[in-house]
Amino acid sequence: MLVRKGFTLDIRRPRFGDPLPDTMAGYSGAVIFGGPMSANDNDDFVRREIEWIGVCLREGAPFLGICLGAQMLVKHLGGDVCTHCDGAVEIGFYKLEPTESGRQFIDWPRMVYQWHREGFDMPTGCDLLARGEFFENQAFRTQDTAFGLQFHSELTYAMACRWTTHGASRMSLPQARPRSDHLGGWFRYDPVVREWLWGFLDLWLAQDRRALAGNIRAA
């Protein structure tokens, strides 16, 4: 979707040794996606990626964390990432309820796709934008420019097929949805989520403090 908006992607994979930029100069923003690892893991690349988020925050560049990326942002801000006290997971489509702050920012979808067994608390100074069914904290922002989303608005049908095939055993976990709900739900909910994501990305990138300060030329 960012490519459709005219952006060029610079994909880095710290897990495989890719270095991360020393500065966000020349970049419109940064996104950290999800993955099978935990933000609590002690792997060097996990710790390095969590620490690197500070580059975006210090420079006022737009940052977006999705699922694991949101949890990494929480860890960077001093918050906790942990499993549900009842062992529940969110794997499939679940209801999303925006907060008053969230409603003022954008009109949110009411059903979103999840694939996680860990959630996070809300670090000091963050603004909660949306709540979920089993994991309350679903979307938040900090310093205006950095956003964390627990859910996967970037999901494609191919991704849903792949995840529910390779991760079939996870659908037996507490509160996980059956595979048929994943695939059928994509056709039911994706048009709204896709439209939301298109608008959200514009709003997210518009928060760039560097552009507001006149340090970069707005596109």
Side-chain angles (χ1 to χ4, degrees), residues 83-115:
T83 56
H84 195 280
C85 60
D86 294 329
V89 302
E90 287 182 324
I91 296 178
F93 282 95
Y94 297 82
K95 293 179 182 178
L96 186 72
E97 181 62 35
T99 64
E100 182 58 33
S101 292
R103 284 189 288 269
Q104 291 177 6
F105 185 72
I106 195 173
D107 186 19
W108 297 75
R110 293 301 186 260
M111 294 290 287
V112 293
Y113 191 78
Q114 310 269 10
W115 191 283

Side-chain angles (χ1 to χ4, degrees), residues 197-209:
L197 181 58
W198 184 267
F200 173 82
L201 290 174
D202 288 339
L203 289 173
W204 165 60
L205 290 167
Q207 309 305 308
D208 195 330
R209 288 209 309 267

